[in-house]
Amino acid sequence: MTAQDDADEHGNRILQAGQRNLRYWEIPSTPETGRLPNSIRILLENLLRNADHPQVTPEHIEAAAAWRPDDEHRSEVPFFPARVLLQDYTAVPAFVDLAAARDAVQAAGGDPSQVNPQLPVQVVVDHSLVADVFGRADARARNIGLEYERNAERYRFLRWVDQAFRETTVIPPGAGIVHQVNLEQLADVVTVRGDRALPDTVLGADSHTTMVNGLGVLGWGVGGIEAEAVMLGEPVFLRLPRVIGVELTGALPEGATATDLVLTLTELLRTLDTVGAFVEFHGSGLAGLPVPDRATIANMSPEFGSTCALFPVDRQTLRYLAGTGRTAADLELVEAYARRQGLWPDPDRTIEFSEDVRLDLGSVRPSVAGPTRPQDRVDLDQLPAVLRRSVPARVQADGLGSPEPATESAPFPLADGSVVIAAITSCTNTANPGLMLGAGLLARNAVKRGLRPRPWVKTTLAPGSTVVTDYLDRAGLSPDLAALGFHLVGYGCTTCIGNSGPLAPGVSEAIARDGLAAAAVLSGNRNFEGRIHPDVRLGFLASPPLVVAFALAGTVDIDLTNDPLGHDADGRPVYLRELWPSGEEVSEAIAQGLSPEDFARARRDSAAGDEVWRALPQAEGELFAWDEASTYIRRSPFAAHGATALSPLPDVVGARVLAVLGDNVTTDLITPSGEIPPGSPAGRYLTEHGVGPRDFNSYGARRGNHEAAARATFANHRLRNAMVDVEGGYARHLPSGETMPLFDAAERYARDGVPLVVFAGLNYGTGSSRDWAAKGTMLLGVRAVIARGFERIHRSNLIGMGVLPLQFRDGDSVQSLGLTGEETVSIEGLSAFDDISGSGRGPETLWVTADGIRFEVAVRIETAQEAAQLRHGGIIPYVLRTRWLQ
């Protein structure tokens, strides 16, 4: 390597790396900055590089440089990412908003072309694949055929986006899962813009954008609403975070996987207050921890509760870049830049963290997580006990059948805990060759012993990129996985987001008839209730090899450390320990299977798409030609609001409560992404517009149509509204007292001019960063959500739609205040937001009155930018008024 640092005649720092001379913004090297965590150093570089931006002040730069681990009053600073990353469920509604904004600008006499991304935007079409066909060799071809049949209109829109908006790249279906594609193809660690080098940083409209932190790239998930503003040149404002250090020591023991490690870390870090914090990994254990293992950990940062989970740039980073087909020049630049900027590990440098915890990798044990939360780690031998504790309570609470195992006469027996879905899916683990090849080796060993999955188990393989099947094929393991039913169903995010498709024939009927608590085991990152499949109550996260093992067992009511998975042809019991591949076997498979050229080829070819994609009609022009008959793509209503003059913000007077919700209400419960039931408000809407149930597609695929998406809000069949006695998306209309679908109640309130509020418990909006969880809330007429606590992204999204997030104070709750939801609610003092200017954030508290019960709430607005967005009614109106229609 030849790299050195110098300065030009103007004092600009010059980095010489090989044949390139690149300018860069130097992170000051002082005793004070030397103690800064890497994430804060990257934020400081970002501010220095954007020092001439009107929203960056010298005070911002000084605050970042003076970051202290024990600071209780942290300053807020702007952040300008190098790029934005979207998947299609967020990209379609985001660009629908931008297309509608172009219409609004043109109608006002402006130039619609100025509504354009101001930085690179990468869209990976990965969320629309459904595992309809499985367990057969042609599953992938049939599923992608169905995908194009259902989504051709959405995909034609994305083809228009690809040509209409500058700085936008659309990667078509079939390339893989957005975060794995980001890791393997899009991330470059150090970005070159013209003659300047800068850190590769990214904000993604998906909470698991953090996966790329494993490569040393700082980035995190934001809501699709916030991503739209960033695309248009607005910075993200954040309070300088607490940074929690995690020191890793030792090495993983034989038999433990990166999945076991991440579940252990999730359990550990959930015991700390990580909300809003950055997490950084360091320690001697990193030397032997490869980037795929790091990425597996970083992917689940949202499950820790943290904003991001950053690993350093080091030898493992360079090894991964080389192994995934990056060039020698790329590696040289990454190392030279990281060393010069103090981002490379230095044993002589002492980093100060707000808190530092330690984990000995040698203490990690094989485990799963569930049955409804990713932080609930379970040792394998304790799984039957967890099932015993959870199923009776859930069955009794839901008024279902006996907690004792139930059976059906044919075609096979089912009981509580029967595994009906075993899915190797999601970028969390499919980006890890050791885990994927380990699953293939376990499958090979099982086939040799004559084992097969139980007939009620739906088995699917949905890798995060095409290189996974390349190396499985080259290692000779694809036939063994297929022999166990793990045929390739496609490259995309399937089971983990609810696109799991139908269960095996007869299974759903048996579950419904006997009131069973059936289980799914998946190698994903989310197992929230109601997410994976409407008929599956229990969800367990596991490594890919364990997914195969549970498919063979057919139940989670098993101690895999002691009980046999099955019996061979001679009737002898077969145990997991007999099938589990050794670390040496996995290493040999990696050496045999992986080729840098596979990754390089995927990087070259992914944006081209297949023949079907290239044959789709592609509209031209700056303005989109809306089809008023479309049930997929409709002109967004949000921009029209921004084209009107700014009016005073009224208080909330005489509002009704739309729902009273409990703790841990996820965005899956607020806005589901899976199948659309025919009798639901969204199903009725589609039927009225001539769409048959076969063509309903999923809730997520319909988010480009605000009419359908609004009807999906609070529509999950597992939602529990305490105001009604039935489970699902129902509300009690007042004063009539009628129980009806929640959307119908909201529509009736809107006709009567009645504003709405929602009451909720702790961790409101946890889960995936779904913009429609906030957009739909606003369209239903909800002015404020009053909760005991908010998830970071959803809180921001609510503000981005002009919905006020308010938090109960001093231990107050719906229960402690004696609220029932039948009250008429008023919120005073919103006019204070009319007078804010500069760095003002408006009032810190407001008073709420509910039929004589008066209580104070905290206003969860954390930055001046958020206050301005609320004042304007959301991000899109704010940007329209302040930038395009001045």
Side-chain angles (χ1 to χ4, degrees):
M1 184 194 75
T2 301
Q4 68 183 80
D5 178 69
D6 208 341
D8 66 14
E9 66 275 16
H10 303 293
N12 295 307
R13 306 303 295 181
I14 301 296
L15 182 70
Q16 297 179 348
Q19 302 300 312
R20 290 185 285 186
N21 291 338
L22 298 169
R23 292 191 292 169
Y24 70 99
W25 290 262
E26 182 181 29
I27 300 173
S29 180
T30 67
E32 289 74 21
T33 58
R35 61 178 169 73
L36 295 177
N38 284 352
S39 55
I40 303 299
R41 294 176 70 81
I42 294 171
L43 293 181
L44 178 56
E45 185 278 341
N46 196 274
L47 290 165
L48 292 168
R49 176 161 36 90
N50 292 284
D52 59 349
H53 191 281
Q55 296 195 64
V56 177
T57 68
E59 290 75 20
H60 290 142
I61 297 172
E62 292 168 6
W67 179 92
R68 296 295 302 170
D70 54 355
D71 187 0
E72 294 294 331
H73 304 285
R74 302 191 183 279
S75 302
E76 61 184 52
V77 298
F79 175 64
F80 301 82
R83 55 193 175 95
V84 169
L85 182 69
L86 306 174
Q87 38 84 354
D88 55 304
Y89 273 11
T90 54
V92 169
F95 280 103
V96 164
D97 286 347
L98 267 59
R102 281 188 170 184
D103 292 346
V105 170
Q106 185 186 53
D111 178 7
S113 67
Q114 66 181 302
V115 182
N116 217 58
Q118 303 300 300
L119 73 169
V121 177
Q122 297 152 333
V123 178
V124 180
V125 183
D126 73 332
H127 271 44
S128 299
L129 176 70
V130 180
D132 288 293
V133 182
F134 60 97
R136 48 190 291 173
D138 63 347
R140 190 229 172 193
R142 290 167 64 94
N143 285 328
I144 199 166
L146 290 169
E147 179 183 354
Y148 272 110
E149 180 182 328
R150 293 167 177 150
N151 297 285
E153 189 175 346
R154 297 172 65 240
Y155 292 172
R156 287 195 295 271
F157 174 74
L158 286 175
R159 292 211 73 200
W160 172 77
V161 165
D162 207 10
Q163 64 83 35
F165 291 94
R166 296 191 304 270
E167 297 275 20
T168 301
T169 301
V170 176
I171 297 178
I177 299 173
V178 57
H179 308 306
Q180 187 165 341
V181 172
N182 188 24
L183 186 76
E184 295 175 353
Q185 301 180 27
L186 304 178
D188 48 22
V189 186
V190 177
T191 293
V192 176
R193 298 278 171 79
D195 65 344
R196 293 189 179 269
L198 57 139
D200 179 14
T201 55
V202 60
L203 292 181
D206 189 293
S207 52
H208 294 101
T209 301
T210 54
M211 184 172 184
V212 80
N213 298 165
L215 195 56
V217 174
L218 182 63
W220 58 88
V222 296
I225 301 160
E226 195 171 13
E228 292 180 36
V230 175
M231 288 159 55
L232 298 168
E234 291 293 309
V236 166
F237 275 82
L238 70 155
R239 289 183 184 272
L240 284 170
R242 294 180 303 116
V243 182
I244 297 173
V246 179
E247 181 182 2
L248 300 180
T249 62
L252 287 174
E254 185 76 17
T257 68
T259 311
D260 303 319
L261 171 56
V262 73
L263 296 181
T264 301
L265 282 166
T266 302
E267 179 185 47
L268 171 65
L269 290 173
R270 270 293 180 181
T271 65
L272 307 176
D273 179 16
T274 60
V275 175
F278 285 12
V279 167
E280 282 195 28
F281 293 91
H282 63 104
S284 59
L286 291 181
L289 197 68
V291 166
D293 287 5
R294 299 177 182 193
T296 303
I297 295 167
N299 183 289
M300 289 186 70
S301 173
E303 282 65 50
F304 308 161
S306 63
T307 300
C308 60
L310 188 66
F311 285 82
V313 176
D314 60 9
R315 291 293 176 198
Q316 289 286 3
T317 311
L318 301 181
R319 185 173 294 118
Y320 181 83
L321 292 174
T324 51
R326 271 75 163 194
T327 67
D330 295 332
L331 272 64
E332 189 172 62
L333 174 60
V334 167
E335 181 175 359
Y337 185 87
R339 286 186 180 278
R340 181 62 191 89
Q341 293 282 54
L343 301 173
W344 189 274
D346 182 353
D348 296 327
R349 177 179 161 218
T350 300
I351 298 176
E352 297 182 358
F353 296 107
S354 305
E355 187 172 354
D356 205 4
V357 296
R358 175 182 293 186
L359 177 68
D360 177 5
L361 299 179
S363 67
V364 173
R365 303 184 300 274
S367 53
V368 298
T372 58
R373 300 192 308 175
Q375 64 262 39
D376 294 334
R377 191 190 64 82
V378 182
D379 287 334
L380 285 183
D381 62 351
Q382 294 300 306
L383 193 50
V386 169
L387 184 68
R388 295 288 179 272
R389 289 197 301 269
S390 60
V391 170
R394 296 171 61 79
V395 169
Q396 291 164 7
D398 294 334
L400 299 176
S402 167
E404 297 301 319
T407 62
E408 64 168 324
S409 58
F412 34 66
L414 288 179
D416 289 328
S418 289
V419 174
V420 297
I421 293 176
I424 300 176
T425 184
S426 173
C427 48
T428 314
N429 291 286
T430 65
N432 193 312
L435 293 173
M436 296 301 293
L437 290 164
L441 289 167
L442 191 145
R444 171 177 291 178
N445 295 337
V447 170
K448 288 179 180 177
R449 294 293 300 272
L451 298 186
R452 293 294 185 272
R454 306 296 179 172
W456 55 84
V457 183
K458 176 175 184 173
T459 49
T460 58
L461 171 64
S465 76
T466 58
V467 296
V468 176
T469 45
D470 289 337
Y471 62 67
L472 285 172
D473 289 346
R474 191 174 290 109
L477 297 174
S478 294
D480 298 296
L481 285 164
L484 298 185
F486 287 95
H487 293 271
L488 176 67
V489 297
Y491 303 99
C493 193
T494 54
T495 306
C496 202
I497 59 162
N499 286 356
S500 49
L503 302 181
V507 170
S508 288
E509 294 80 0
I511 291 172
R513 181 177 64 249
D514 295 333
L516 299 177
V521 180
L522 65 155
S523 62
N525 44 40
R526 292 280 164 87
N527 57 341
F528 300 127
E529 185 178 15
R531 179 182 179 94
I532 296 168
H533 190 282
D535 297 330
V536 178
R537 291 185 175 273
L538 310 175
F540 292 93
L541 306 181
S543 66
L546 283 180
V547 171
V548 176
F550 279 107
L552 298 173
T555 181
V556 294
D557 191 8
I558 185 174
D559 173 5
L560 289 181
T561 64
N562 292 300
D563 299 336
L565 290 170
H567 294 78
D568 63 17
D570 297 325
R572 292 174 300 188
V574 180
Y575 296 92
L576 178 62
R577 58 181 174 270
E578 299 176 287
L579 306 181
W580 196 267
S582 68
E584 184 179 354
E585 289 175 305
V586 173
S587 296
E588 290 175 355
I590 290 175
Q592 179 182 352
L594 264 66
S595 167
E597 177 52 34
D598 290 338
F599 292 91
R601 182 176 60 253
R603 190 175 301 111
R604 289 193 304 267
D605 299 344
S606 60
D610 58 19
E611 293 180 0
V612 182
W613 175 266
R614 293 192 296 272
L616 288 173
Q618 182 171 357
E620 303 290 338
E622 291 181 343
L623 301 178
F624 184 70
W626 305 98
D627 179 0
E628 293 304 318
S630 173
T631 57
Y632 273 106
I633 307 294
R634 300 290 299 275
R635 181 187 279 109
S636 161
F638 307 116
H641 174 55
T644 61
L646 186 62
S647 57
L649 191 64
D651 285 348
V652 177
V653 179
R656 286 292 185 177
V657 180
L658 186 61
V660 176
L661 306 173
D663 295 342
N664 302 309
V665 171
T666 69
T667 50
D668 296 281
L669 294 172
I670 302 171
T671 175
S673 63
E675 63 183 54
I676 303 174
S680 66
R684 297 200 316 266
Y685 167 83
L686 294 173
T687 300
E688 291 165 2
H689 285 76
V691 180
R694 180 182 178 275
D695 298 318
F696 277 2
N697 208 334
S698 66
Y699 280 121
R702 293 285 180 180
R703 289 178 185 156
N705 178 352
H706 62 278
E707 296 285 0
R711 287 164 171 79
T713 308
F714 298 108
N716 193 298
H717 61 290
R718 297 296 183 214
L719 185 75
R720 294 181 178 88
N721 180 358
M723 295 178 66
V724 296
D725 296 328
V726 293
E727 188 179 56
Y730 293 91
R732 186 170 176 226
H733 177 268
L734 295 168
S736 71
E738 297 177 47
T739 294
M740 62 184 67
L742 188 143
F743 174 81
D744 295 349
E747 197 173 41
R748 189 163 166 182
Y749 283 127
R751 286 198 302 267
D752 295 338
V754 177
L756 300 172
V757 298
V758 169
F759 289 150
L762 293 169
N763 303 319
Y764 183 73
T766 191
S768 300
S769 53
R770 293 185 177 163
D771 53 348
W772 265 104
K775 286 182 173 180
T777 298
M778 185 273 270
L779 287 181
L780 292 182
V782 175
R783 291 284 310 280
V785 176
I786 308 174
R788 292 183 65 198
F790 292 88
E791 189 275 340
R792 173 183 63 87
I793 297 176
H794 186 60
R795 180 200 63 81
S796 174
N797 276 350
L798 288 171
I799 296 168
M801 293 314 301
V803 178
L804 187 61
L806 303 174
Q807 188 163 323
F808 289 108
R809 299 187 70 207
D810 304 324
D812 285 348
S813 67
V814 169
Q815 293 75 22
S816 70
L817 293 168
L819 301 171
T820 66
E822 297 183 5
E823 299 85 3
T824 300
V825 178
S826 296
I827 305 172
E828 310 165 22
L830 271 65
S831 60
F833 286 100
D834 294 335
D835 301 324
I836 60 173
S837 61
S839 60
R841 296 199 293 267
E844 294 184 358
T845 62
L846 293 171
W847 284 96
V848 178
T849 303
D851 282 1
I853 302 173
R854 184 173 167 83
F855 55 98
E856 194 175 26
V857 293
V859 179
R860 286 300 311 278
I861 290 178
E862 298 186 355
T863 68
Q865 186 189 46
E866 289 181 348
Q869 291 169 11
L870 181 82
R871 174 69 188 86
H872 283 264
I875 280 181
I876 295 298
Y878 168 73
V879 176
L880 270 168
R881 292 192 183 106
T882 59
R883 176 172 297 183
W884 301 324
L885 298 179
Q886 286 184 329

